[in-house]
Amino acid sequence: MRTDGRQPSELRPVTITTGVNKYAEGSVLIEVGETKVICTASVEERVPPFMKGQGKGWITAEYSMLPRATHSRNQREAARGKLTGRTMEIQRLIGRALRSVVDLQALGERTITLDCDVIQADGGTRTTSITGSFVALCLAVNKLAKTTTFAKYPITDYLASVSVGVIQERALLDLNYDEDSKAKVDMNVVMTGNGKFVEVQGTGEEEPFSRSELNELLELAEGGIGRLIERQREALGEDAGRIGGGA
Amino acid sequence: MRTDGRQPSELRPVTITTGVNKYAEGSVLIEVGETKVICTASVEERVPPFMKGQGKGWITAEYSMLPRATHSRNQREAARGKLTGRTMEIQRLIGRALRSVVDLQALGERTITLDCDVIQADGGTRTTSITGSFVALCLAVNKLAKTTTFAKYPITDYLASVSVGVIQERALLDLNYDEDSKAKVDMNVVMTGNGKFVEVQGTGEEEPFSRSELNELLELAEGGIGRLIERQREALGEDAGRIGGGA
Amino acid sequence: MRTDGRQPSELRPVTITTGVNKYAEGSVLIEVGETKVICTASVEERVPPFMKGQGKGWITAEYSMLPRATHSRNQREAARGKLTGRTMEIQRLIGRALRSVVDLQALGERTITLDCDVIQADGGTRTTSITGSFVALCLAVNKLAKTTTFAKYPITDYLASVSVGVIQERALLDLNYDEDSKAKVDMNVVMTGNGKFVEVQGTGEEEPFSRSELNELLELAEGGIGRLIERQREALGEDAGRIGGGA
Amino acid sequence: MRTDGRQPSELRPVTITTGVNKYAEGSVLIEVGETKVICTASVEERVPPFMKGQGKGWITAEYSMLPRATHSRNQREAARGKLTGRTMEIQRLIGRALRSVVDLQALGERTITLDCDVIQADGGTRTTSITGSFVALCLAVNKLAKTTTFAKYPITDYLASVSVGVIQERALLDLNYDEDSKAKVDMNVVMTGNGKFVEVQGTGEEEPFSRSELNELLELAEGGIGRLIERQREALGEDAGRIGGGA
Amino acid sequence: MRTDGRQPSELRPVTITTGVNKYAEGSVLIEVGETKVICTASVEERVPPFMKGQGKGWITAEYSMLPRATHSRNQREAARGKLTGRTMEIQRLIGRALRSVVDLQALGERTITLDCDVIQADGGTRTTSITGSFVALCLAVNKLAKTTTFAKYPITDYLASVSVGVIQERALLDLNYDEDSKAKVDMNVVMTGNGKFVEVQGTGEEEPFSRSELNELLELAEGGIGRLIERQREALGEDAGRIGGGA
Amino acid sequence: MRTDGRQPSELRPVTITTGVNKYAEGSVLIEVGETKVICTASVEERVPPFMKGQGKGWITAEYSMLPRATHSRNQREAARGKLTGRTMEIQRLIGRALRSVVDLQALGERTITLDCDVIQADGGTRTTSITGSFVALCLAVNKLAKTTTFAKYPITDYLASVSVGVIQERALLDLNYDEDSKAKVDMNVVMTGNGKFVEVQGTGEEEPFSRSELNELLELAEGGIGRLIERQREALGEDAGRIGGGA
């Protein structure tokens, strides 16, 4: 039995509240258990220098934690004067994951920046950021669609993410912080609505893992991601059907 | 008439929600109109090097805005690698203001860090941060008081802050962003519960101001701060009476 | 009695020497007691990016102290790799204050940078920098006026600054370092030649202050600034009358 | 057929030259095709602050590319003043991977730093760095073992790494740069001598991948890693048998 | 007798291997005793901003040591976030020295960057970098000459560098690390093929030196540089005669 | 004839004013023609970490130019966030030069920091800094000597510095800025009172130089340095005889 009474394949309660920011083109507050992340999508009508003149858009992400999002206070990266490796790794992951379901050509020469600010952390902040950012991105694209005619709807599929891990030889879905710190194997999985993998990042620093453990973890993740995508559909409401519609 | 229909001496609606963070010793979400700030107070059982061995505590503050707290997205200071002058000035102000109502001797050799993270900005983020931080600080001290015996209750008085300014020759209380950007004179005032000034920072970059204008602004501020302190008392509930009690 | 024998409302001896730098368009060495600051005004025929194309000029300021300007040696900010919050706050203040008496439209699309380098510090370095910079700025504008036809003389009024404070319940003008470190209330005031306030920055970190104390301090400051402006007039010599003349 | 004539499951030629640095406790030059990395292992008789007093050792890694390791010259990170996200991600990966096969308790309170400097890059620099670092690490431990009595030999198993990817729907082992830039799916795999996974990092930014593709890639990787471990054994010579011996 | 058995005027063994990098326009591995430096020359068809529009080219250099190039490991400058003064001084020296034998007009509007990466250090890394870079530069120019018609061959003379020093009152050529750390006087000399000085940098931090000592050192250097230039000629092979040919 | 009418072997007018800073243990304003540098010597009763426990002292130097010390304004290094290579090179040179005439053992475990701040620059700022710093250093040591008993007077000889150069094939002493920018060969020389060289830094970036040119330059420098040391003696007054006295 898990400390919070969940079954091994059970997600924590998930809430996605849209429109939490009055300025951003898209915004959500996503809560997965006690992990809370504000995701905003900001649209700019220009692309970074390396993308100029290609007629394509760009999706990028930034990630940060409030200093007291965690048990003990962390120093701000702005005060340290540089980003940690962990932050850089996470924001690269979020950006890459979201780009996998965006038709950059269809988006046109504009940049959408996803800001993921962790208000409170209890494990799974990077996966929760991806799941929440996807909704913020859709909201921003839908807002754009009111004033812009896209040749094709630029979001090609749903996308969500969850963590899985092995504790005392049991595979568990959606680890909270306590579980995460005890896990021998830790894996973050990003999948699309049609059940394909976008990112699989498994690490067995404490204890290497076998192919069958890997498979068990991937199955758990698949189930969890399916349920997260249902929550995304609900959050998007009547616009839910546009994703992947391509028109 | 002001764009949002307020009287010149009227505050925007103020809400202070306590306990918004499960880890911090004290936390509030303060909303003043559309300005929203999360303030957390974190207690550490040590003081910075320059305070060591004096038997006294320390209060310090940090301030930041989420990138999309504003109309257009701002670059993160962590990404730029340094704090702006504006941020440094604000966090120095918040720390100094709060220290003025704390008996550092009574607090003992510990540091309380106030983190003010602006979730959404519509003018008055620094004054709102001070007003909210004061409550978070009290909550943290009250929590400490459960496990520590203070010779004296370390918070000596209430403290709140508001902005005032002159637009088209009228003195106005609690400027929102639109008003702030039109004001010829702009002043931030911090006062204690017994009606004394802790900080008066007035600037007439666009147009110098006379002594009588200054007096009119200070009176407006005094009224507004009185009402903000009422909100602080409500938020503190049954502990409201401990402040300044000295025992 | 003050340690240096001054009356409460007495300034320290003030000397303003012009033309101390052979390259700068305007330069002064200002000495207020033992506080010594070199102020240079440098003219560039361009404006910063955010001002481009508006047909207006810009005034900005930088402030620094030599490492041994103080009792014990301070580390250089260049060696630390960043400016302190105090420096940023001071240079923002100087720039803002000077802009309040410059008609940026009349100045035309050029930038004047005021560099205030404190050679020796004995209290009041920021106020002394403002008083000295004003003269350097006038000298630079007068030099410009020899080769440029201004539609209107761009400096609209005199501007000077002084500190005031409360020590042992007495209000004192122009604090030296010893007084400054004992003051319970500390205020910096910037005023124009016509007796209006440009900046009022009072702080009672050690002890909040009442409205009547504030008024007493402002009166002291007003007197001191009047006398500083006389020194500025003397330093400007026959050009003293152009300021505010508007033609 | 691949551009260099290899079979899909064929590694590029691998050479591991030991003792290439006269100062380092362990050193190799590893060449995998045209990718060339110098790996040195440096032993220090202390641990980082967060590990102090636990009686355990630490393994860490740093990674860098010479500016002209690549087709066009890259700016040095030292000149830019900060590490890129890519570099941080890679050096975190190398350190984590190596720690998974070291008994830090057995190592004792010392740090071994693996420096991976890419002299020439043609794809697979991070996996090559891991494979080469493992040998440098063993050499350093073997050198230590001459003067130190370990309760247990601290390296618990072999460890090597390879990349795999999907190009035109074919799974390929050990991508060179040209292949890497065309791959729709890209995966780095780290495995131990006993055939377990330490890291699986697959990304389908261009095109999500299915479970069966994932399995095919993992099988290719498994084969390749087995052959890389043979090369490591050869490089270690008569000491090859100590790894995992535990005594 | 020197510790390695050399005569006072004897160079260490010198090897210059060309073409060690498959991407760089010119590259060498230069070994002088146990000091080993990879020098690459990278050509870019643009010049830095301060050189634009003059119809002239630019030569610049960067220098770095691998962390374990030395007896004990050095922290990477990229990790420290800034270059040391020593590195800056060395790379300024290398660039300046090479420019003295390049006709920048003849080179045309392009930049050649010399990267000197010290793989192993045993004294004389800066002088060895200059000697090796010169060859890499010639190789790059010769490669350019195949696709570009130079009005004049842009390299005007040979250039090499060596260190000399005084140990126990004896002048010695080409100090290794042990000698360098014992030397009272230390001098780096850069000379051209026609026997003129480009740089003479002598320092007697431990003990000032007389004019006659200086002369003795310069004579030793002159002899050593002559022999280094012979090695450069051999490395350049049939292209050796183009240098200084001017056509 | 030189533009300012000097003979080739003539120094510019030299003035050394002592005691220009009320806090520093030693201070001078040195003027060499229009080049003006404030040099302060600050004593601290501790040594840097790498010198601890050796019973020896340390001498170090920092160098900076005010932004408008030059014809056009330079950006502050503090604002850029890092020192230029030129600054680092100069401050390393000043420190090294001064250490050559200090018996660090005799000085005892304390650090003297020489700050050289260029108020106005007209060529020769580094050599002028050395000449002025030497006097500031002596003043600080003399002040120390009043409260400390040195086993031996720690300054072992006089030390001064001058620049020389070749313009239109004529060797010239003490170049001003205009001359410096036209010189084909440029050399900075530091010598002791007994006529020995501490630093010889000659560079012929524009045109290599012969041994006889080198000799001619060194002779000019020798003459100039002799006259600078006379100025130092005058500035030191009755303490002039202590230098090198060793008791």
Side-chain angles (χ1 to χ4, degrees):
Chain A
M1 191 60 109
R2 299 168 77 169
T3 50
D4 56 4
R6 279 187 288 153
Q7 295 300 316
S9 64
E10 195 179 342
L11 289 177
R12 291 176 285 176
V14 177
T15 313
I16 301 175
T17 311
T18 59
V20 299
N21 177 297
K22 76 180 245 194
Y23 306 118
E25 284 72 26
S27 66
V28 310
L29 167 65
I30 179 166
E31 298 168 83
V32 174
E34 292 288 342
T35 292
K36 302 179 186 185
V37 186
I38 293 176
C39 305
T40 59
S42 298
V43 179
E44 287 167 300
E45 294 294 321
R46 55 193 169 80
V47 289
F50 68 92
M51 292 292 292
K52 265 190 192 146
Q54 302 181 32
K56 292 164 67 176
W58 189 243
I59 305 291
T60 185
E62 298 196 3
Y63 167 97
S64 185
M65 292 212 287
L66 296 203
R68 199 55 195 276
T70 47
H71 281 83
S72 58
R73 186 177 183 274
N74 285 300
Q75 198 190 1
R76 285 175 196 269
E77 290 174 310
R80 305 171 78 232
K82 57 179 176 182
L83 301 178
T84 61
R86 179 183 174 276
T87 291
M88 291 225 215
E89 196 170 310
I90 292 175
Q91 54 195 26
R92 282 158 57 90
L93 168 66
I94 302 171
R96 209 163 59 219
L98 292 173
R99 284 194 295 274
S100 76
V101 290
V102 176
D103 180 330
L104 297 174
Q105 199 82 43
L107 182 60
E109 283 221 6
R110 50 177 65 90
T111 298
I112 303 183
T113 302
L114 280 308
D115 284 292
C116 303
D117 286 89
V118 180
I119 300 304
Q120 193 170 277
D122 189 25
T125 63
R126 78 186 70 186
T127 54
T128 301
S129 293
I130 291 169
T131 305
S133 289
F134 176 78
V135 179
L137 172 64
C138 293
L139 294 171
V141 168
N142 293 343
K143 186 169 181 199
L144 262 177
K146 290 183 184 153
T147 55
T148 309
T149 309
F150 290 120
K152 197 184 142 199
Y153 187 78
I155 303 182
T156 59
D157 201 350
Y158 276 88
L159 182 97
S161 178
V162 80
S163 76
V164 284
V166 177
I167 299 179
Q168 293 176 324
E169 291 167 42
R170 291 200 62 173
L172 300 177
L173 177 68
D174 186 23
L175 309 184
N176 64 24
Y177 177 78
D178 276 347
E179 292 172 335
D180 192 46
S181 53
K182 285 181 212 136
K184 297 293 181 195
V185 179
D186 175 26
M187 186 172 300
N188 295 300
V189 181
V190 185
M191 294 182 81
T192 58
N194 72 359
K196 290 203 164 180
F197 298 105
V198 169
E199 293 276 342
V200 174
Q201 297 201 339
T203 180
E205 179 177 341
E206 305 270 327
E207 205 171 282
F209 52 99
S210 65
R211 182 82 74 87
S212 68
E213 284 174 304
L214 172 61
N215 282 329
E216 196 181 354
L217 289 169
L218 293 174
E219 251 146 63
L220 269 185
E222 194 171 343
I225 285 171
R227 274 163 282 146
L228 287 167
I229 289 176
E230 285 168 34
R231 294 293 156 279
Q232 291 177 328
R233 285 184 187 276
E234 289 164 18
L236 288 170
E238 58 186 28
D239 286 320
R242 304 172 81 167
I243 280 79
Chain B
M1 189 61 106
R2 301 167 76 168
T3 50
D4 56 3
R6 280 188 287 152
Q7 295 300 316
S9 64
E10 196 179 339
L11 290 176
R12 291 176 285 178
V14 177
T15 313
I16 302 175
T17 311
T18 60
V20 300
N21 178 295
K22 76 180 244 192
Y23 305 118
E25 284 72 25
S27 67
V28 310
L29 168 65
I30 179 166
E31 298 167 83
V32 174
E34 291 289 343
T35 291
K36 301 180 188 185
V37 186
I38 293 177
C39 304
T40 58
S42 297
V43 179
E44 286 167 301
E45 295 294 322
R46 55 191 170 81
V47 289
F50 69 91
M51 292 293 292
K52 264 190 192 147
Q54 303 181 31
K56 292 164 67 176
W58 189 243
I59 305 291
T60 186
E62 297 196 2
Y63 167 97
S64 185
M65 291 212 287
L66 296 202
R68 199 57 195 276
T70 47
H71 281 83
S72 58
R73 186 178 183 275
N74 285 300
Q75 198 190 3
R76 285 174 196 269
E77 290 175 308
R80 306 170 77 233
K82 57 180 176 180
L83 301 177
T84 60
R86 179 184 175 275
T87 291
M88 289 225 216
E89 197 170 309
I90 292 174
Q91 55 195 24
R92 282 158 56 90
L93 168 66
I94 302 172
R96 211 162 57 219
L98 292 173
R99 283 193 296 275
S100 75
V101 291
V102 177
D103 181 330
L104 298 174
Q105 199 82 43
L107 182 61
E109 284 221 6
R110 49 179 65 91
T111 298
I112 303 182
T113 302
L114 281 308
D115 284 293
C116 302
D117 286 89
V118 180
I119 300 304
Q120 194 171 275
D122 189 24
T125 63
R126 79 185 71 186
T127 54
T128 301
S129 293
I130 291 170
T131 304
S133 288
F134 177 78
V135 179
L137 172 64
C138 293
L139 293 171
V141 168
N142 293 344
K143 185 167 182 201
L144 261 178
K146 290 182 184 153
T147 55
T148 309
T149 309
F150 290 120
K152 199 185 142 199
Y153 188 78
I155 302 181
T156 60
D157 202 349
Y158 275 88
L159 183 97
S161 177
V162 80
S163 76
V164 284
V166 177
I167 298 179
Q168 294 176 323
E169 291 168 41
R170 290 201 63 174
L172 300 177
L173 177 68
D174 186 23
L175 310 184
N176 65 23
Y177 178 77
D178 276 347
E179 293 172 334
D180 192 46
S181 52
K182 286 180 212 139
K184 297 292 180 196
V185 179
D186 176 26
M187 187 172 300
N188 294 301
V189 180
V190 185
M191 293 182 83
T192 59
N194 71 0
K196 291 203 162 179
F197 298 106
V198 169
E199 293 276 343
V200 174
Q201 297 200 339
T203 181
E205 181 176 339
E206 304 272 326
E207 205 170 284
F209 51 100
S210 65
R211 181 83 74 89
S212 68
E213 283 173 305
L214 173 61
N215 282 330
E216 196 181 355
L217 290 169
L218 293 174
E219 252 147 62
L220 269 184
E222 194 170 344
I225 285 172
R227 274 163 282 146
L228 287 167
I229 289 177
E230 285 167 34
R231 292 296 155 280
Q232 291 177 328
R233 284 183 187 278
E234 288 164 18
L236 288 169
E238 57 185 28
D239 286 320
R242 303 174 82 168
I243 280 80
Chain C
M1 192 58 111
R2 299 168 76 169
T3 50
D4 57 4
R6 280 188 288 154
Q7 295 300 315
S9 63
E10 195 179 340
L11 289 175
R12 291 176 284 176
V14 177
T15 313
I16 301 175
T17 312
T18 60
V20 300
N21 177 296
K22 77 179 247 194
Y23 305 118
E25 284 72 25
S27 66
V28 310
L29 168 65
I30 179 166
E31 298 167 83
V32 174
E34 293 288 344
T35 291
K36 303 179 186 186
V37 186
I38 294 176
C39 304
T40 58
S42 297
V43 179
E44 286 167 300
E45 295 294 321
R46 54 188 171 83
V47 289
F50 69 92
M51 292 292 292
K52 263 187 193 150
Q54 303 181 32
K56 291 163 67 176
W58 189 243
I59 306 290
T60 186
E62 297 196 3
Y63 167 97
S64 184
M65 291 212 287
L66 297 202
R68 198 56 196 277
T70 47
H71 281 84
S72 57
R73 186 177 183 274
N74 285 300
Q75 199 191 0
R76 285 175 196 268
E77 290 175 310
R80 305 170 79 233
K82 57 179 175 181
L83 300 178
T84 61
R86 178 182 176 277
T87 291
M88 291 225 215
E89 196 171 310
I90 292 174
Q91 54 196 25
R92 282 157 56 89
L93 168 66
I94 302 171
R96 210 163 57 219
L98 292 173
R99 285 193 296 274
S100 75
V101 290
V102 176
D103 181 330
L104 298 173
Q105 199 81 44
L107 182 61
E109 283 221 6
R110 50 177 66 90
T111 298
I112 304 183
T113 302
L114 281 307
D115 284 294
C116 303
D117 286 90
V118 180
I119 299 305
Q120 194 170 275
D122 189 25
T125 62
R126 79 186 70 186
T127 53
T128 301
S129 293
I130 291 170
T131 304
S133 289
F134 176 78
V135 179
L137 172 64
C138 293
L139 295 170
V141 168
N142 293 344
K143 186 167 182 203
L144 261 178
K146 290 182 184 152
T147 55
T148 309
T149 310
F150 290 120
K152 198 184 143 201
Y153 188 78
I155 302 181
T156 60
D157 201 351
Y158 276 88
L159 182 97
S161 177
V162 79
S163 77
V164 284
V166 177
I167 297 180
Q168 293 176 324
E169 291 167 41
R170 290 200 65 174
L172 301 177
L173 177 69
D174 186 22
L175 309 184
N176 65 24
Y177 178 78
D178 276 346
E179 292 172 335
D180 193 46
S181 51
K182 285 180 211 138
K184 297 292 179 195
V185 179
D186 175 27
M187 186 172 298
N188 295 300
V189 180
V190 186
M191 295 182 82
T192 58
N194 72 359
K196 291 204 163 179
F197 297 106
V198 169
E199 293 276 342
V200 174
Q201 296 201 340
T203 181
E205 180 177 340
E206 304 270 327
E207 205 170 283
F209 51 100
S210 65
R211 182 83 74 88
S212 68
E213 282 173 307
L214 173 60
N215 282 329
E216 195 180 355
L217 290 169
L218 293 174
E219 252 146 62
L220 270 185
E222 194 169 344
I225 286 172
R227 274 162 281 145
L228 289 166
I229 289 176
E230 285 168 34
R231 294 294 154 283
Q232 291 177 328
R233 284 186 187 276
E234 289 163 17
L236 288 170
E238 57 185 27
D239 286 319
R242 303 173 81 167
I243 280 78
Chain D
M1 191 59 107
R2 301 167 75 170
T3 49
D4 55 5
R6 279 187 289 153
Q7 295 301 314
S9 63
E10 196 179 341
L11 289 176
R12 290 175 286 176
V14 177
T15 313
I16 301 175
T17 312
T18 60
V20 300
N21 177 296
K22 76 180 246 195
Y23 306 119
E25 284 73 24
S27 67
V28 309
L29 167 65
I30 179 166
E31 298 167 83
V32 174
E34 292 289 342
T35 291
K36 301 178 186 186
V37 185
I38 293 177
C39 304
T40 59
S42 297
V43 179
E44 286 167 301
E45 294 294 322
R46 55 190 170 81
V47 288
F50 70 92
M51 292 293 291
K52 263 188 193 149
Q54 302 181 33
K56 292 163 67 177
W58 189 243
I59 305 291
T60 186
E62 297 195 2
Y63 167 97
S64 183
M65 291 212 287
L66 296 202
R68 199 55 195 277
T70 47
H71 282 82
S72 59
R73 186 178 183 275
N74 285 299
Q75 197 190 2
R76 285 175 195 267
E77 290 175 308
R80 305 171 76 234
K82 57 181 177 180
L83 302 177
T84 62
R86 179 183 175 276
T87 290
M88 289 225 218
E89 197 171 310
I90 292 174
Q91 54 196 26
R92 281 159 56 90
L93 168 66
I94 302 171
R96 210 162 57 220
L98 292 173
R99 283 193 296 276
S100 76
V101 291
V102 176
D103 181 330
L104 298 174
Q105 199 82 44
L107 182 60
E109 283 220 7
R110 50 178 63 92
T111 298
I112 304 183
T113 302
L114 281 307
D115 284 294
C116 302
D117 286 90
V118 180
I119 299 305
Q120 194 170 275
D122 188 25
T125 63
R126 78 185 71 186
T127 54
T128 302
S129 293
I130 291 169
T131 304
S133 288
F134 176 78
V135 179
L137 172 65
C138 293
L139 293 171
V141 168
N142 293 344
K143 185 168 182 202
L144 261 178
K146 289 182 185 154
T147 55
T148 309
T149 310
F150 290 120
K152 199 184 141 199
Y153 188 79
I155 301 181
T156 60
D157 201 350
Y158 276 87
L159 182 98
S161 178
V162 79
S163 76
V164 283
V166 178
I167 299 179
Q168 293 175 324
E169 290 166 41
R170 291 201 64 173
L172 300 177
L173 177 68
D174 186 24
L175 310 184
N176 64 24
Y177 178 78
D178 276 346
E179 292 171 336
D180 192 45
S181 51
K182 284 181 213 138
K184 297 293 179 193
V185 179
D186 176 26
M187 187 173 299
N188 295 301
V189 180
V190 184
M191 294 183 82
T192 60
N194 72 0
K196 291 202 163 181
F197 298 106
V198 168
E199 294 275 343
V200 174
Q201 297 200 338
T203 182
E205 180 177 340
E206 305 271 327
E207 204 170 283
F209 52 100
S210 65
R211 182 83 74 87
S212 69
E213 283 173 305
L214 172 61
N215 282 329
E216 195 180 355
L217 290 169
L218 292 174
E219 251 147 62
L220 269 185
E222 194 170 344
I225 285 171
R227 274 162 282 146
L228 288 167
I229 289 176
E230 285 169 34
R231 292 296 154 279
Q232 291 177 328
R233 284 184 187 276
E234 290 164 17
L236 288 169
E238 57 186 29
D239 286 319
R242 302 172 82 168
I243 280 79
Chain E
M1 191 59 110
R2 299 168 76 169
T3 49
D4 56 4
R6 280 187 288 153
Q7 294 300 316
S9 63
E10 195 178 341
L11 289 176
R12 290 177 285 177
V14 177
T15 314
I16 301 175
T17 312
T18 60
V20 299
N21 177 296
K22 76 179 244 194
Y23 306 119
E25 284 72 25
S27 67
V28 309
L29 167 65
I30 179 166
E31 298 168 83
V32 175
E34 292 289 343
T35 292
K36 302 179 187 187
V37 186
I38 294 177
C39 305
T40 58
S42 298
V43 179
E44 287 166 301
E45 294 295 321
R46 55 190 171 83
V47 288
F50 69 92
M51 293 292 292
K52 265 191 191 146
Q54 302 181 33
K56 292 163 67 176
W58 188 243
I59 306 290
T60 186
E62 296 196 3
Y63 168 96
S64 184
M65 291 212 287
L66 295 203
R68 199 57 196 277
T70 48
H71 282 83
S72 58
R73 188 179 181 272
N74 285 299
Q75 198 190 1
R76 285 175 197 267
E77 289 175 309
R80 305 171 78 233
K82 57 181 178 180
L83 301 177
T84 61
R86 179 183 175 275
T87 291
M88 291 225 216
E89 196 171 310
I90 292 174
Q91 54 196 25
R92 282 157 57 89
L93 168 66
I94 302 171
R96 209 162 59 219
L98 292 173
R99 284 193 296 275
S100 75
V101 290
V102 177
D103 181 330
L104 298 174
Q105 199 82 44
L107 182 61
E109 283 221 7
R110 50 179 63 91
T111 298
I112 303 182
T113 301
L114 281 307
D115 284 293
C116 302
D117 286 273
V118 180
I119 300 304
Q120 194 171 275
D122 189 25
T125 62
R126 78 185 70 187
T127 53
T128 301
S129 293
I130 291 170
T131 304
S133 289
F134 177 79
V135 179
L137 172 65
C138 293
L139 294 171
V141 167
N142 293 344
K143 185 167 181 202
L144 262 178
K146 289 181 185 155
T147 55
T148 309
T149 309
F150 291 118
K152 196 183 144 199
Y153 187 78
I155 302 182
T156 59
D157 201 349
Y158 276 87
L159 182 97
S161 178
V162 79
S163 77
V164 284
V166 177
I167 298 179
Q168 294 176 323
E169 293 168 39
R170 291 203 62 174
L172 300 177
L173 177 68
D174 186 23
L175 309 183
N176 65 24
Y177 177 79
D178 276 346
E179 292 172 335
D180 192 46
S181 52
K182 284 181 212 138
K184 297 293 179 194
V185 179
D186 176 26
M187 187 172 298
N188 295 300
V189 181
V190 185
M191 293 182 83
T192 60
N194 72 358
K196 290 203 164 180
F197 298 105
V198 169
E199 293 276 342
V200 174
Q201 297 201 339
T203 181
E205 179 177 340
E206 305 270 326
E207 205 170 284
F209 51 100
S210 65
R211 181 81 75 88
S212 68
E213 282 173 306
L214 173 61
N215 283 330
E216 195 180 356
L217 290 169
L218 292 174
E219 251 147 63
L220 270 185
E222 193 170 344
I225 286 171
R227 275 163 281 146
L228 288 166
I229 289 176
E230 285 169 34
R231 291 297 154 278
Q232 291 178 328
R233 285 185 186 276
E234 288 163 17
L236 288 170
E238 57 185 30
D239 286 319
R242 303 173 81 167
I243 280 78
Chain F
M1 192 59 108
R2 300 168 76 169
T3 50
D4 57 4
R6 279 187 289 152
Q7 295 300 316
S9 64
E10 195 179 341
L11 289 177
R12 291 176 286 176
V14 177
T15 313
I16 301 175
T17 312
T18 59
V20 299
N21 177 296
K22 76 179 245 194
Y23 305 118
E25 284 72 25
S27 67
V28 310
L29 166 66
I30 179 165
E31 298 167 83
V32 174
E34 292 289 344
T35 291
K36 301 179 187 187
V37 186
I38 294 177
C39 305
T40 59
S42 298
V43 179
E44 286 167 300
E45 294 294 321
R46 56 191 169 80
V47 288
F50 69 91
M51 292 293 291
K52 264 190 192 146
Q54 303 181 31
K56 292 164 66 175
W58 189 243
I59 305 290
T60 185
E62 297 195 3
Y63 167 97
S64 184
M65 292 213 286
L66 296 203
R68 198 59 195 276
T70 46
H71 282 83
S72 58
R73 186 178 183 273
N74 285 298
Q75 198 191 2
R76 285 175 196 268
E77 290 175 308
R80 306 171 78 234
K82 57 180 176 180
L83 301 177
T84 61
R86 179 183 175 277
T87 290
M88 289 225 217
E89 196 171 312
I90 292 175
Q91 54 196 25
R92 283 158 56 91
L93 168 66
I94 302 171
R96 209 162 59 218
L98 291 174
R99 283 194 295 276
S100 76
V101 289
V102 176
D103 181 329
L104 297 174
Q105 199 82 43
L107 181 61
E109 282 221 7
R110 49 178 64 92
T111 298
I112 304 182
T113 302
L114 281 307
D115 284 293
C116 303
D117 286 90
V118 180
I119 300 304
Q120 193 170 274
D122 188 26
T125 63
R126 78 185 71 186
T127 54
T128 301
S129 293
I130 291 170
T131 304
S133 289
F134 176 79
V135 178
L137 173 64
C138 292
L139 294 172
V141 167
N142 293 344
K143 185 166 181 201
L144 261 178
K146 289 181 186 155
T147 54
T148 308
T149 310
F150 290 119
K152 199 184 141 198
Y153 188 78
I155 302 181
T156 60
D157 201 350
Y158 276 88
L159 182 98
S161 178
V162 80
S163 77
V164 284
V166 177
I167 298 179
Q168 293 175 323
E169 290 167 41
R170 291 200 62 173
L172 300 177
L173 177 68
D174 186 22
L175 309 184
N176 64 24
Y177 178 78
D178 275 347
E179 292 172 336
D180 193 45
S181 52
K182 285 180 212 137
K184 297 293 180 196
V185 179
D186 175 27
M187 187 172 299
N188 294 301
V189 181
V190 184
M191 294 182 81
T192 60
N194 72 359
K196 291 203 162 178
F197 297 106
V198 169
E199 292 276 343
V200 173
Q201 297 201 339
T203 181
E205 180 177 340
E206 304 271 326
E207 205 170 283
F209 52 99
S210 66
R211 182 82 75 88
S212 68
E213 283 174 305
L214 173 61
N215 282 330
E216 195 180 356
L217 290 169
L218 292 174
E219 251 148 62
L220 268 186
E222 193 170 345
I225 286 171
R227 273 163 282 145
L228 288 166
I229 289 176
E230 285 169 34
R231 293 295 155 279
Q232 291 177 328
R233 284 183 187 277
E234 288 163 18
L236 288 169
E238 57 185 30
D239 287 319
R242 301 173 83 167
I243 279 79

